[in-house]
Amino acid sequence: MNDQGHFLFLISLLPFLGAVIPGIMIRAGRNACASFTAVPTVLALILLMILAPDVLRGEVITAEVMWLPQLGLSVSFFLDGLGLMFAAMILGVGLLITLYARFYLSGDDPMGQFYTYLLMFQGAMLGIVISDNILLLLIFWELTSLSSFLLIGYWKHLPEGRQGARMALAVTGAGGLAMIGGMLILGHVAGSYKLTDILQAGEAIRASEWYLPALILILLGAFTKSAQFPFHFWLPHAMAAPTPVSAYLHSATMVKAGVFLMARMWPVLAGTDAWFYIVATTGLVTMVLGALIALFKDDLKALLAFSTVSHLGLLTMLLGFGTEAAAVAAVFHILNHLTFKAALFMTVGIVDHETHTRDISRLGGLRHLMPITFAIGTIAALSMAGIPLLNGFLSKEMMLEEASHTYWAGSTWAVPVLATLGALLSVAYSFRFIGHVFLGPVRDDYPHKPHDPPMGLWAAPALLTVLVVVIGVAPFLAEGIVTAAANAVTGADLHPHLKIWHGATPALWMSIIAVLGGGALLGLHKPFLSAWEAAPRPEAKAIFDRLLAAIIALSRGITEIAHNGAISRYLAVFVVTSVALGWIAYSGSALSAPTRGLLPVPAVIGIGWLMLIVASVAVVILHRDRFTSLVLIGIIGLTISAGFAYLSAPDLALTQISVETVTIMLLLLALHFLPKTTPVESSVLRRVRDGVIAVVAGGGVGALAYAFMLRDISTISQFHLDNSYEGGGGTNVVNVILVDFRGYDTYGEIIVLGIAGMVIYALVQTLLAGPVARKLRGGGAMSEVLREGLAVTHLSRDRHPLMMVVVTRVLMPIAIVVGAYIFLRGHNEPGGGFVAGLVVAIALLMQYMASGFAWTQARKRIEYHTLIGFGVIIAGLTGAGAWLSGTPFLTSAYTYVHLPPIEEFELATAMLFDLGVFLTVLGAVMLMLYSLSRIARHAGETVNVEAMDYDPADRVTERGAET
Amino acid sequence: MHWIILPVVMPALFAPIIGFVMRHDISMARIASVTGTVLLLGVAVGLAMMAAGGETFVYRLGDWPAPFGIVLVLDRLSALMVLLTATLALIVLIHAIATGWDARGKHFHTLFQFQLMGICGAFLTGDVFNLFVFFEVLLIASYGLMIHAGGRDRVRAGLQYVVMNLAGSTLFLFALGTLYASTGTLNIADMARVIATIPAEEAALVRVAAILLMIVFAVKAALFPVQFWLPATYANASAPVAALFAIMTKVGAYAILRVHTISFGPGIAPTEDLAATWLFPAAIVTIAVGAFGVLGARRLMPLIAFSVLGSMGTLMAAVAAFSPDATMAALYYLVHSTFAAACLFLVADLVVSRRGGDGLRPVLATAQNGLFAALFFGAAVGMAGMPPLSGFLGKLLILDALREPGIMAWAWSAILIGSLLTIVGFARAGSILFWSSTAIEAPLVAKPETRKAGAWELAPAMVAIGMLGLLAVFALPVSGYLEDTAQQIFDRAGYMAAVLGTGTGG
């Protein structure tokens, strides 16, 4: 990359880098802030001017750095005539706006923020015009939408600003998104996202079947941005922005992005019927409609906004014609429109600033009070009207000339007549601007006594007005840049001659008609206005607002109905989906032939099976009675355990029984705080629906199980059987799988259990710190649910019966020994840390149940939290211990130890791991119990210090004392 | 080489120590938790560098060979996910500490570490049953985090969350049972080997297993029609937890990307059509559900939650294509959307905690209104997929990758229109929250100025937004890594050779 390329990068970066400056420099005052804002713009402008001579000679300056090659996105810029013209416009006007805004914004407005947004916009806009990659262009395109959003909403306390900002973002954002689609198609057809490549591939693109979709999507982007009918409505509402923004974004630069894009893509997309009819027609309609509405607007900014819409329509129409001469006219008019329209906006800003109103009906006669402003405004407005010797005249003549020989669907007159009408209306509102604001008698009811502003405010528009006159008088001065830009647009080598007098062409006559007609129309403004007021007109903002409100209401409806929080419905959808997709997947293939027959069913097993079914059905029927259903669930669990035992899975049976016991016990305790019955909450119909879903899903799972139980398959289990003793040091392969082959799973699962214990603890903790605790304590405010729950406890005065206390006390050491036994034999016989933990937990649970929580708690020496912690850490460290021998996590080692007088026994690291399992299980279960008891104490249950409510031993002592 | 297991074992050791030794001292817990997370980040960076070479590392637990024991598999994808998790975790953790969220309930840091263990475990395992175990770990830990700090709405939403996900776990078990019964193995690579040998006309059982597994993962990834749990969960969780959950949906996406590519994916005749056929429509509807939710939201947190949902739809639409190009796009978007969701939640937390409620209605502007507005703007730009942040690039990549005739129109319309609705929704919310509030007159009796956010409170949100910027700026190297990653994901032979063959032993 050469120096020029570096310059191009610098130009594109300067505004963004500069955007941080105002935010800081505002601390040094408003002048410093504005001056420093100008610095990056000036620098960029200087760099641009250094590059300008080469570009004007016809060179194209490029620069490229790869960004996202997979996408074909690179940071690549190129500067040709069109880019140069736009870049100069953006930077030049940007500089003037910086100056103007310094004097326009009041002391209360956050100026630093304003300039930051402005520079961000400037960078984005500059990016659009020098991008050589259409994806990069898209990025800058969207950035202009975003910065425009921020600038329109700059006065954030004003509702018009907020609404205008959102509307602009919605419309231009929508267009931008459509354009993403269009550009991606375009790039795909062209085989590259590089503009320079795409510009070469015009013919292939126009011939492609994807041409029309791409065209429409790209035009949607361009039309929304350039406020073409029917997307024109956002622009007037964007006028809620401060006037410098309106002048800069919404007349001079951003709204021209759409036009720019059409010009840029002109060699590729133009020249087809589709292009002509879509683009030229839209432009024509927009031009006439915009001008017509502008004529009846009393708000000066609205007038200018619609006039801008109209002129953008004009530009669009010219590009739509698809001829080289029309393209030249468009390029020239872009330049001219910029000069007079920006000047006009600034003039309006000055009027607003000085008189505190921009309502035409309250103005008039300002020429005496504000002569400088009058001069600037009048020259600019006359140029807008297309009066000779001003630049607006030149490009309008070229436009009319092109229009005069354009056929539209076979009609020779449609375009010329409508174009003349547009010009006529344009003359009318321009004259109105001059006549109703500056001419006429001086009034004495201005909201604020006007006078000319300080030079800082009028310097910028004055400079632009000078340009208006200079180009108007000596058009050849602009020939260089217009030629360069026009050549860039058309890709041809044109040598247009810009001159004032073309002879008595049709365009001249059309122009004369327009001026005379416009003047006449202004004379008849009053009756036309009342007719306009009376006519039914669709109000675009109202339609947009209603549409948006409807979409929001619809979205809200869909969302809130779908996500109504009914868990039963969520589950129903989930289950139905699973069954349906499962069935679809199943029916996409078939089963292999079964390899096993059915086994005979012994009577005992048949009974067990029947019990299971009866209990399951009974749970469904009786589930509202919670205690009963708990008992039934217990039956189901036990039957399943028996089933495991029958099917030669003693480990599973043992585990199932212990788990069953512990969960039923904990559930019983939890039920203590809940109502004893479940209320009926759903209709019969819904229950039937749910029932059907449940039966189908259950049947599906059953069928699945049936299908695979009939089929043999070679599994990895054989390896486990073969290697259990040799590699794992145990003969109980289930245990070896648990602590060795798949010890890692067990490690995860004990952590799950530990976390569950902690979560319950944390849940209860927060519960008891919140309003629930107050409900629990305060008798009066106690909820129905709890009152009912506690009522049962008062049924029995003997909470800790003697018999139970004594039995559990006796059982305790036995249970502990059983636990130890199960733990130790685990590696070779059914058992292991998990079951042992549960067994010991049951033993402890029984103490709590029999003797009360406080009594037992007082005798507890170790925190349950610590148990879990130790368990997890022991298991983890056992696993990590393998690292010391250079083997992976959880690699086991075992040895046989002979310790007289007992037999030789085995010591395995797996046992240590199992100890971790044991501790975690025990800790987790006990922590759950602890949490439950905390609720009980908060509910005001009495705390017993004695083991038994009625202790016979006390009685004996009492008697002894008596005697 | 024990590095691979460290992302699991390290948090699993930190967690109990924090929970049981330091549970009475929040400062100590904070120091330990941050230390653990920083170490995790360090390990994750190391792993990413290891994996960048393109080798697939296998770590055999208990020194048992696959498929008989469990193996951990580290390739670019796993390393990427672990790195993403660790980075996000550190950001979120600092936010939680700086805002004091961690002290509003018990055991935050323990659960946080366990959560990290669960997520990392899921990303590293090469065995579907082990994946189930880690789904359980992260589910129970996330449930604990979800209801952290309590409150009626939160506990209620938490119940929905845990019930839906337990239902998913149950289905997971059914699927695993069917899978084991039809293939005789649970190792991802070995399953691929076995399923490829099953005749296509006798594959009914394994097909059922594949589709059920897909539904299980779809529950995690919050795809329609099993997405219902997500909005309420995310909207009601405490903000740092919601931000951390940004990675949780990605676990589902990851699992599909891994299992339904290696075991059931393209080239495995009996099952290759399933996920590709059904994921795509689900993803498209999810985009719509998300977009409608954003536009119709009455409160800020649900709005963000729905935007997360929409982003999952976009992500899964790309995943559903099961091609290296689309997967590369999906991965880029995955990384992006994780940080985008996180920074939205973090910014929202700063705002909501000062506004006193997340209702979308104008209330008196808080202190630092402008700063919060800027942060929200940045985060929203990220989530809506607008330039200059990474969302725009991610969206372009996905659109560019989805050009198949049958899906292009659907995918493009859904993503582009969805983006528009999201943009409008966010603009509306931001305008109400930050602009309208400036129009509200301060009450005559001056209320005490809301507390300003300190540097530590702001930093995590800013860093998260910064990540979106970096992701965009460094798209060249990032996309290079992700392209290699996508290639590796579809290199089934390489994966199988590493896991089942002689591969690099741990």
Side-chain angles (χ1 to χ4, degrees):
Chain A
M1 208 182 312
N2 49 16
D3 276 353
Q4 292 183 321
H6 288 132
F7 280 5
L8 210 48
F9 272 127
L10 259 181
I11 292 174
S12 73
L13 271 178
L14 273 168
F16 290 117
L17 295 178
V20 265
I21 296 176
I24 300 163
M25 290 314 293
I26 187 65
R27 291 169 186 273
R30 287 145 59 83
N31 283 330
C33 182
S35 312
F36 275 88
T37 305
V39 170
T41 315
V42 170
L43 283 177
L45 201 55
I46 291 171
L47 291 175
L48 191 71
M49 287 308 125
I50 295 173
L51 300 180
D54 290 339
V55 176
L56 288 176
R57 270 200 303 278
E59 276 182 43
V60 175
I61 296 162
T62 58
E64 181 171 21
V65 169
M66 220 1 122
W67 190 5
L68 194 51
Q70 288 82 357
L71 189 59
L73 169 63
S74 59
V75 185
S76 51
F77 296 114
F78 82 131
L79 190 69
D80 63 354
L82 185 67
L84 175 69
M85 186 178 98
F86 266 93
M89 281 162 45
I90 293 159
L91 292 170
V93 180
L95 210 51
L96 295 180
I97 291 295
T98 307
L99 168 69
Y100 180 79
R102 156 64 189 91
F103 294 93
Y104 180 85
L105 291 178
S106 86
D108 301 333
D109 296 324
M111 186 182 270
Q113 217 177 68
F114 180 85
Y115 279 132
T116 297
Y117 294 163
L118 204 68
L119 282 176
M120 268 159 50
F121 164 76
Q122 193 178 77
M125 191 63 211
L126 208 52
I128 291 182
V129 300
I130 59 173
S131 286
D132 185 17
N133 185 299
I134 52 175
L135 298 179
L136 185 68
L137 188 150
L138 279 175
I139 289 177
F140 289 119
W141 187 275
E142 297 284 40
L143 281 179
T144 58
S145 293
L146 284 176
S147 47
S148 154
F149 170 76
L150 292 173
L151 282 166
I152 300 172
Y154 175 70
W155 281 325
K156 44 187 174 277
H157 51 280
L158 299 180
E160 299 82 31
R162 299 195 295 267
Q163 286 161 12
R166 278 160 55 188
M167 186 193 282
L169 184 68
V171 177
T172 58
L177 290 167
M179 208 169 93
I180 292 178
M183 291 299 197
L184 283 175
I185 295 175
L186 189 69
H188 196 59
V189 174
S192 162
Y193 288 114
K194 276 196 69 139
L195 246 175
T196 31
D197 294 341
I198 292 172
L199 290 178
Q200 304 301 320
E203 233 154 83
I205 291 168
R206 282 191 297 274
S208 159
E209 54 172 347
W210 287 102
Y211 168 72
L212 199 59
L215 176 70
I216 291 173
L217 289 172
I218 291 174
L219 286 180
L220 272 177
F223 286 174
T224 48
K225 201 76 163 183
S226 282
Q228 296 299 296
F229 178 83
F231 310 113
H232 61 285
F233 57 90
W234 68 266
L235 186 57
H237 292 286
M239 295 298 144
T243 301
V245 174
S246 309
Y248 192 30
L249 272 70
H250 304 122
S251 84
T253 55
M254 189 185 84
V255 289
K256 298 243 174 69
V259 174
F260 168 82
L261 189 74
M262 287 185 272
R264 184 91 284 173
M265 293 288 169
W266 195 88
V268 182
L269 300 176
T272 62
D273 276 355
W275 169 273
F276 173 77
Y277 283 109
I278 298 175
V279 179
T281 314
T282 307
L284 189 61
V285 171
T286 310
M287 176 173 77
V288 176
L289 200 72
L292 183 67
I293 301 174
L295 186 58
F296 299 110
K297 285 290 171 190
D298 271 347
D299 178 2
L300 279 174
K301 277 181 87 173
L303 186 151
L304 289 185
F306 279 104
S307 135
T308 305
V309 169
S310 170
H311 280 269
L312 291 168
L314 184 155
L315 293 170
T316 304
M317 179 185 74
L318 281 174
L319 290 169
F321 285 166
T323 62
E324 285 169 356
V328 173
V331 167
F332 192 29
H333 194 68
I334 288 171
L335 194 63
N336 295 336
H337 178 251
L338 166 103
T339 53
F340 65 70
K341 191 53 69 62
L344 281 172
F345 264 109
M346 291 196 231
T347 308
V348 167
I350 293 171
V351 170
D352 189 14
H353 203 258
E354 297 303 320
T355 66
H356 292 194
T357 182
R358 11 181 250 246
D359 185 348
I360 293 185
S361 59
R362 304 189 61 182
L363 294 168
L366 290 181
R367 71 182 184 284
H368 302 292
L369 300 165
M370 310 172 73
I372 301 173
T373 314
F374 165 63
I376 296 169
T378 306
I379 294 171
L382 287 175
S383 178
M384 178 159 76
I387 301 302
L389 296 184
L390 299 171
N391 61 359
F393 170 74
L394 301 167
S395 45
K396 199 178 69 179
E397 284 279 294
M398 290 161 78
M399 179 276 283
L400 291 171
E401 172 65 32
E402 288 309 305
S404 68
H405 51 72
T406 301
Y407 302 133
W408 193 88
S411 161
T412 50
W413 56 268
V415 175
V417 167
L418 284 172
T420 313
L421 177 64
L424 186 151
L425 292 167
S426 171
V427 170
Y429 66 68
S430 301
F431 284 177
R432 178 161 180 248
F433 180 86
I434 301 167
H436 291 187
V437 175
F438 295 106
L439 304 181
V442 177
R443 299 167 65 145
D444 50 11
D445 60 346
Y446 303 114
H448 185 258
K449 181 81 176 134
H451 50 75
D452 266 323
M455 186 181 154
L457 213 47
W458 61 255
L463 191 67
L464 288 169
T465 317
V466 169
L467 279 178
V468 167
V469 178
V470 167
I471 298 176
V473 175
F476 57 86
L477 289 176
E479 226 165 67
I481 182 73
V482 170
T483 307
N487 286 345
V489 171
T490 56
D493 190 19
L494 307 174
H495 298 282
H497 293 286
L498 308 175
K499 50 188 181 184
I500 301 172
W501 180 250
H502 291 270
T505 55
L508 187 67
W509 295 112
M510 288 155 81
S511 213
I512 291 170
I513 294 171
V515 173
L516 294 179
L521 193 60
L522 184 61
L524 297 170
H525 187 256
K526 275 227 159 61
F528 271 118
L529 183 63
S530 31
W532 174 262
E533 294 290 346
R537 287 164 291 128
E539 180 57 47
K541 180 174 189 300
I543 296 172
F544 177 82
D545 285 348
R546 267 206 305 277
L547 186 69
L548 195 62
I551 296 175
I552 289 178
L554 179 74
S555 305
R556 191 167 281 169
I558 292 174
T559 307
E560 289 177 358
I561 290 172
H563 300 83
N564 64 350
I567 184 76
S568 57
R569 205 178 59 188
Y570 297 175
L571 284 173
V573 173
F574 165 73
V575 172
V576 169
T577 308
S578 306
V579 172
L581 285 185
W583 172 251
I584 290 171
Y586 178 86
S587 43
S589 180
L591 292 172
S592 55
T595 53
R596 291 184 190 176
L598 292 176
L599 296 174
V601 183
V604 183
I605 299 308
I607 291 169
W609 186 75
L610 213 61
M611 267 171 67
L612 196 61
I613 289 181
V614 169
S616 301
V617 173
V619 170
V620 174
I621 295 169
L622 299 173
H623 77 278
R624 294 191 193 286
D625 185 351
R626 293 177 174 178
F627 271 116
T628 317
S629 57
L630 210 53
V631 172
L632 289 166
I633 290 172
I635 294 177
I636 298 174
L638 287 177
T639 318
I640 292 176
S641 312
F644 283 144
Y646 170 70
L647 294 168
S648 333
D651 275 278
L652 283 184
L654 201 56
T655 313
Q656 180 70 28
I657 289 182
S658 349
V659 169
E660 202 62 36
T661 315
V662 170
T663 41
I664 295 285
M665 278 166 103
L666 287 176
L667 278 173
L668 274 172
L669 288 171
L671 215 50
H672 183 65
F673 308 106
L674 296 169
K676 299 298 162 275
T677 54
T678 311
V680 180
E681 281 172 322
S682 46
S683 65
V684 178
L685 218 61
R686 174 166 296 181
R687 271 178 280 156
V688 169
R689 179 200 75 181
D690 292 348
V692 170
I693 293 174
V695 167
V696 172
V701 174
L704 204 59
Y706 183 75
F708 61 65
M709 279 193 295
L710 287 180
R711 280 156 186 87
D712 282 303
I713 188 105
S714 83
T715 67
I716 53 172
S717 307
Q718 196 54 47
F719 177 90
H720 295 148
L721 290 170
D722 295 344
N723 287 275
S724 174
Y725 188 71
E726 287 289 311
T731 48
N732 177 5
V733 69
V734 175
N735 184 272
V736 177
I737 288 177
L738 281 177
V739 298
D740 200 334
F741 290 121
R742 298 191 72 96
Y744 187 57
D745 281 343
T746 311
Y747 181 55
E749 288 297 358
I750 60 168
I751 285 176
V752 172
L753 204 59
I755 299 172
M758 278 172 31
V759 168
I760 293 173
Y761 173 80
L763 181 63
V764 169
Q765 182 80 16
T766 39
L767 214 65
L768 296 180
V772 176
R774 278 196 298 282
K775 275 189 196 162
L776 279 171
R777 278 194 218 97
M782 199 198 282
S783 72
E784 275 303 310
V785 174
L786 278 161
R787 210 182 311 218
E788 200 199 327
L790 290 181
V792 178
T793 44
H794 301 305
L795 289 177
S796 166
R797 299 221 162 268
D798 195 11
R799 290 194 296 160
H800 307 294
L802 170 75
M803 276 301 285
M804 189 154 159
V805 172
V806 172
V807 169
T808 52
R809 207 65 50 79
V810 173
L811 272 177
M812 175 82 175
I814 301 173
I816 301 285
V817 170
V818 170
Y821 172 70
I822 288 178
F823 176 81
L824 289 173
R825 77 199 284 256
H827 219 41
N828 296 313
E829 301 287 332
F834 190 84
V835 182
L838 289 175
V839 168
V840 173
I842 292 168
L844 289 175
L845 264 174
M846 288 193 304
Q847 303 305 312
Y848 280 90
M849 288 177 91
S851 303
F853 193 84
W855 183 87
T856 322
Q857 190 70 7
R859 281 151 187 83
K860 186 194 66 161
R861 295 277 184 275
I862 185 160
E863 287 282 335
Y864 300 129
H865 282 92
T866 321
L867 274 185
I868 301 179
F870 267 122
V872 173
I873 290 172
I874 287 176
L877 289 182
T878 308
W883 295 342
L884 298 177
S885 62
T887 46
F889 192 70
L890 280 174
T891 306
S892 64
Y894 60 92
T895 178
Y896 292 91
V897 181
H898 185 76
L899 201 70
I902 39 178
E903 273 183 73
E904 187 184 67
F905 64 96
E906 181 193 354
L907 270 184
T909 52
M911 250 167 130
L912 205 55
F913 180 76
D914 226 7
L915 178 67
V917 175
F918 169 80
L919 290 176
T920 313
V921 170
L922 182 61
V925 173
M926 296 317 288
L927 196 56
M928 292 175 199
L929 176 75
Y930 175 70
S931 304
L932 283 171
S933 78
R934 280 169 59 93
I935 302 181
R937 270 181 292 158
H938 271 264
E941 207 162 287
T942 50
V943 173
N944 60 316
V945 262
E946 296 296 322
M948 292 167 250
D949 294 332
Y950 175 76
D951 191 343
D954 290 345
R955 231 169 146 148
V956 172
T957 10
E958 274 167 29
R959 278 210 187 132
E962 271 171 29
T963 47
Chain B
M1 276 315 301
H2 302 295
W3 288 101
I4 302 175
I5 188 107
L6 282 183
V8 179
V9 173
M10 220 164 48
L13 287 177
F14 267 97
I17 293 173
I18 294 169
F20 311 122
V21 182
M22 308 175 174
R23 72 193 162 106
H24 298 299
D25 187 327
I26 187 78
S27 304
M28 226 160 111
R30 283 172 175 177
I31 292 168
S33 194
V34 171
T35 311
T37 314
V38 168
L39 287 177
L40 180 65
L41 183 60
V43 170
V45 170
L47 291 180
M49 278 158 45
M50 245 172 88
E55 197 180 336
T56 302
F57 296 88
V58 175
Y59 187 82
R60 297 171 175 178
L61 286 157
D63 216 7
W64 296 107
F68 311 107
I70 300 167
V71 290
L72 301 190
V73 182
L74 178 83
D75 60 359
R76 291 195 186 95
L77 178 63
S78 305
L80 171 77
M81 298 307 291
V82 171
L83 181 59
L84 182 62
T85 308
T87 314
L88 177 74
L90 191 58
I91 292 172
V92 168
L93 185 62
I94 288 171
H95 180 95
I97 293 173
T99 52
W101 265 110
D102 60 339
R104 283 180 221 170
K106 288 278 166 188
H107 289 317
F108 178 87
H109 293 289
T110 314
L111 291 170
F112 191 85
Q113 293 295 325
F114 273 136
Q115 172 85 69
L116 294 183
M117 173 217 171
I119 296 172
C120 292
F123 289 146
L124 285 169
T125 189
D127 183 286
V128 268
F129 188 82
N130 192 240
L131 185 65
F132 168 78
V133 171
F134 280 98
F135 267 36
E136 294 302 286
V137 173
L138 64 87
L139 168 62
I140 191 76
S142 66
Y143 175 59
L145 285 173
M146 158 76 212
I147 55 174
H148 175 75
R152 208 175 73 158
D153 291 344
R154 189 167 293 153
V155 172
R156 178 176 295 170
L159 185 70
Q160 281 188 16
Y161 170 69
V162 80
V163 168
M164 261 321 269
N165 279 278
L166 282 178
S169 297
T170 312
L171 189 66
F172 203 159
L173 278 184
F174 290 168
L176 288 178
T178 314
L179 208 52
Y180 189 72
S182 53
T183 64
T185 183
L186 291 166
N187 180 287
I188 293 171
D190 200 34
M191 276 174 7
R193 182 185 63 79
V194 175
I195 298 171
T197 64
I198 298 179
E201 64 282 356
E202 291 183 1
L205 281 180
V206 77
R207 283 171 62 84
V208 172
I211 202 87
L212 293 187
L213 265 189
M214 191 198 83
I215 298 173
V216 171
F217 299 150
V219 171
K220 277 277 178 289
L223 278 186
F224 179 86
V226 284
Q227 90 292 1
F228 295 103
W229 61 271
L230 185 137
T233 304
Y234 281 40
N236 286 299
S238 61
V241 172
L244 181 69
F245 279 15
I247 193 77
M248 295 270 293
T249 43
K250 309 304 185 292
V251 176
Y254 164 85
I256 290 180
L257 214 44
R258 177 68 86 199
V259 178
H260 284 83
T261 307
I262 299 281
S263 303
F264 305 122
I268 303 282
T271 49
E272 63 180 346
D273 60 311
L274 287 171
T277 311
W278 292 101
L279 271 183
F280 183 72
I284 296 301
V285 181
T286 309
I287 296 175
V289 172
F292 286 139
V294 169
L295 196 59
R298 293 174 203 267
R299 296 190 297 123
L300 180 60
M301 297 299 270
L303 181 137
I304 301 174
F306 276 105
S307 74
V308 172
L309 197 59
S311 76
M312 280 316 290
T314 309
L315 168 61
M316 294 312 289
V319 169
F322 287 104
S323 73
D325 279 357
T327 301
M328 185 258 145
L331 290 175
Y332 187 88
Y333 193 80
L334 183 152
V335 177
H336 153 78
S337 66
T338 305
F339 287 116
C343 68
L344 265 177
F345 278 117
L346 296 184
V347 172
D349 183 40
L350 296 177
V351 178
V352 169
S353 62
R354 283 166 181 75
R355 279 171 58 93
D358 68 340
L360 288 178
R361 58 196 156 71
V363 300
L364 188 63
T366 63
Q368 297 169 298
N369 185 48
L371 178 65
F372 291 146
L375 286 176
F376 182 79
F377 184 74
V381 160
M383 182 51 101
M386 296 280 272
L389 300 180
S390 49
F392 191 73
L393 298 182
K395 203 158 67 184
L396 284 185
L397 279 169
I398 289 181
L399 291 173
D400 192 50
L402 299 180
R403 286 184 190 272
E404 288 289 313
I407 61 171
M408 181 175 153
W410 287 104
W412 285 32
S413 316
I415 292 174
L416 292 175
I417 297 173
S419 294
L420 178 64
L421 298 185
T422 309
I423 291 167
V424 172
F426 271 112
R428 185 174 148 263
S431 159
I432 295 173
L433 289 174
F434 302 108
W435 285 357
S436 302
S437 54
T438 57
I440 294 200
E441 296 288 325
L444 285 176
V445 187
K447 278 207 276 185
E449 174 93 322
T450 40
R451 198 176 50 80
K452 285 192 173 183
W456 282 106
E457 287 172 78
L458 293 168
M462 288 179 170
V463 169
I465 296 175
M467 296 304 291
L468 301 182
L470 291 179
L471 208 51
V473 172
F474 295 105
L476 182 67
V478 170
S479 64
Y481 185 89
L482 296 181
E483 196 180 22
D484 293 343
T485 308
Q487 295 294 347
Q488 198 178 25
I489 292 172
F490 286 90
D491 176 19
R492 182 181 296 119
Y495 185 90
M496 285 168 67
V499 174
L500 301 175
T502 46
T504 313

